[in-house]
Amino acid sequence: MFSFSVPLGKLVRRASRLRGGGSAFPGLVVEKIDPGFMRRTLTTLPHGVAVVSGTNGKTTTTKMVVELLESQGLKVFTNRTGSNFTRGVAAALLGAVDWRGRLDADVAVLELDEAHAVHFVNSVPPRYCLLLNVLRDQLDRFGEIDKTAQLLQHIAAKTTGTVVLNREDPRVARIAATLTGQEVKYFGLDDSLLGTFPNDDDMRAAPGSPAPANLPEKPAADVVLRKVGADSAEFEYDGGTVTTGMKLRGVYNVFNAAAALTLARSICGGGAATANHATLLEALSKVEPAFGRGESLTVDGQPLDLVLVKNPSGFRLGLKSFPAGGYATMIAINDNYADGRDMSWLWDVEFDSLREGGVDHVTGSRAYDMALRLQYDDVPIGAVETEIASALAAFIREAKGKPKRVFCTYTAMLAIRRELSKITTVEVVS
């Protein structure tokens, strides 16, 4: 059925892009004038909709799932900008449909913020969902951690087909017991890797405390991450093990690769008869980092890595995955709405690994809070400057000839990419 909302939304999208406006604004417009737009468009897809949600890793995991499915010949629609609110999905749809509102795709794979996913699934029940983890993140928005778990539980309850859960996160794994009728699959870790990926309870246990007694037996996982190498990973599934190269850096990205494999196998039908595992693994080995999530740019002939940090677990794993040795380091911390306003979580991160080389520049609206935290861990600091543009320019100038790394919150990352786009090639995400 033709709807005037589509051409109007497309015109708003075009005007917004010409004026440098936000990518989600056209989606807000179409939501207001045609609330049924997303449901009407997405429910016609042959393989339905898959929702990816959780505290950490949504953007990169969604990117992996998309590329895995494309390796199987499927046409995939996704909200590639990383705008993971419902209006961001609507805006991405406006860019993908034709003027009559028709979407040429087999399946939609959508990254959704935990709270906005609840509104989305009420309107468009997904056929699949992948729930990654529950960690203390933006408590000023979501409230306590169990509230976040309840949001993910609602997503799972609205899913009509397969729910993929993180076996190693107790709050996520417990969702299985609340479901009726959905197929449940898990991704998991070999026991030797459990200490590398602490769940929220593990991070808050006193050092040396014994493991809780009488833990329930863990369910079998569809895909298990067994080993992590410098540029490779070993997975177990279908009774065997496979090793593949990995361009993605960061141990957390490799664990999320197990999640992506589980969801892709589910959408393709699960077994070896319906998914070409050689091409799945080949596709996985070629996945590049999502923008700002371990993305490596080139500045003055040297790499400049952007590492997104937004909660204690993510920052800890970022520091572990990207050692400081030999790199000039900058930390950029903002407290805008998309970052979370409460920065007290910085005190749950240990910065000892930065002590030897120090931090060259600290910037962002909460630069002085970050600098204070570093002082408590005896980390030397070169300069503190709240204005990101001038701090980044000084950082690049003073670290000329050295590889560089920037740990940054979400809006700080966007600001840094904008500045870097003036001096180097930066992927444009539209």
Side-chain angles (χ1 to χ4, degrees):
M1 181 182 70
F2 182 79
S3 170
F4 77 91
S5 62
V6 174
L8 177 59
K10 280 183 169 289
L11 290 172
V12 171
R13 184 174 185 269
R14 182 176 296 175
S16 179
R17 288 165 65 84
L18 288 173
R19 298 181 61 184
S23 62
F25 177 69
L28 178 62
V29 172
V30 79
E31 278 186 326
K32 294 293 185 183
I33 63 176
D34 186 1
F37 167 64
M38 283 193 298
R39 181 182 180 90
R40 189 172 63 248
T41 307
L42 293 173
T43 52
T44 62
L45 299 180
H47 289 272
V49 175
V51 166
V52 179
S53 195
T55 308
N56 273 6
K58 296 184 288 293
T59 300
T60 300
T61 304
T62 299
K63 188 175 190 290
M64 281 191 274
V65 173
V66 169
E67 295 187 27
L68 290 174
L69 294 178
E70 289 177 340
S71 78
Q72 305 302 295
L74 294 178
K75 290 181 285 187
V76 186
F77 165 74
T78 189
N79 51 332
R80 190 166 171 270
T81 63
S83 179
N84 55 26
F85 293 1
T86 52
R87 69 192 62 163
V89 175
L93 264 179
L94 283 172
V97 297
D98 64 19
W99 286 89
R100 297 185 63 83
R102 293 172 299 199
L103 179 63
D104 183 23
D106 298 309
V107 62
V109 180
L110 305 175
E111 169 199 350
L112 284 165
D113 163 276
E114 299 94 311
H116 284 264
V118 168
H119 300 295
F120 176 86
V121 300
N122 286 340
S123 173
V124 186
R127 189 176 303 177
Y128 307 91
C129 74
L130 167 57
L131 306 180
L132 294 168
N133 41 55
V134 179
L135 297 160
R136 291 172 200 271
D137 179 59
Q138 300 193 30
L139 297 184
D140 52 308
R141 285 182 58 206
F142 295 141
E144 256 306 320
I145 188 170
D146 290 328
K147 172 61 176 176
T148 306
Q150 289 170 11
L151 297 175
L152 296 185
Q153 180 181 330
H154 183 85
I155 298 166
K158 288 289 185 177
T159 300
T160 62
T162 302
V163 175
V164 178
L165 302 175
N166 180 350
R167 183 182 70 178
E168 315 307 343
D169 188 312
R171 288 179 176 82
V172 172
R174 282 197 292 266
I175 290 172
T178 69
L179 301 178
T180 55
Q182 293 91 339
E183 179 185 28
V184 177
K185 292 187 177 181
Y186 298 90
F187 64 98
L189 292 167
D190 187 80
D191 287 349
S192 64
L193 293 175
L194 290 175
T196 303
F197 300 91
N199 60 53
D200 196 82
D201 293 337
D202 294 335
M203 286 198 299
R204 276 154 183 78
S209 7
N214 303 318
L215 288 174
E217 185 176 349
K218 292 194 294 188
D222 184 72
V223 178
V224 173
L225 175 62
R226 290 180 56 101
K227 293 181 183 177
V228 179
D231 54 5
S232 65
E234 181 180 290
F235 300 96
E236 177 183 348
Y237 57 79
D238 293 342
T241 59
V242 295
T243 300
T244 182
M246 298 285 292
K247 285 188 177 180
L248 289 171
R249 295 177 297 162
V251 290
Y252 47 88
N253 283 332
V254 181
F255 185 28
N256 289 335
L261 277 170
T262 305
L263 179 56
R265 281 161 51 85
S266 298
I267 294 172
C268 292
T274 52
N276 184 323
H277 288 279
T279 54
L280 275 180
L281 292 174
E282 183 183 3
L284 184 62
S285 72
K286 295 178 179 177
V287 178
E288 300 275 1
F291 73 100
R293 280 80 170 175
E295 177 183 27
S296 188
L297 307 173
T298 301
V299 176
D300 292 335
Q302 294 288 338
L304 187 152
D305 298 341
L306 295 177
V307 183
L308 179 69
V309 295
K310 62 193 189 79
N311 53 42
S313 174
F315 213 147
R316 287 184 184 189
L317 287 171
L319 291 168
K320 182 172 185 175
S321 299
F322 299 93
Y327 277 75
T329 301
M330 184 167 90
I331 300 178
I333 304 294
N334 277 351
D335 65 347
N336 297 318
Y337 177 77
D339 306 298
R341 306 306 299 270
D342 181 2
M343 288 290 121
S344 62
W345 61 265
L346 292 170
W347 293 88
D348 292 329
V349 184
E350 296 172 353
F351 294 97
D352 301 9
S353 63
L354 298 176
R355 190 175 294 155
E356 183 176 348
V359 174
D360 298 76
H361 284 261
V362 180
T363 187
S365 58
R366 298 297 287 269
Y368 286 96
D369 299 77
M370 184 70 247
L372 178 64
R373 176 67 193 94
L374 292 172
Q375 286 181 332
Y376 270 81
D377 275 358
D378 297 320
V379 176
I381 301 167
V384 182
E385 164 63 73
T386 57
E387 293 297 323
I388 289 177
S390 55
L392 179 64
F395 174 60
I396 292 171
R397 183 174 61 250
E398 293 168 16
K400 192 173 181 65
K402 291 184 65 176
K404 303 165 188 67
R405 183 167 294 132
V406 183
F407 296 95
C408 44
T409 57
Y410 182 72
T411 65
M413 178 263 289
L414 295 180
I416 289 167
R417 290 181 95 252
R418 281 195 299 271
E419 292 301 313
L420 290 174
S421 69
K422 301 172 184 177
I423 60 173
T424 190
T425 301
V426 176
E427 179 190 9
V428 176
V429 182
S430 57

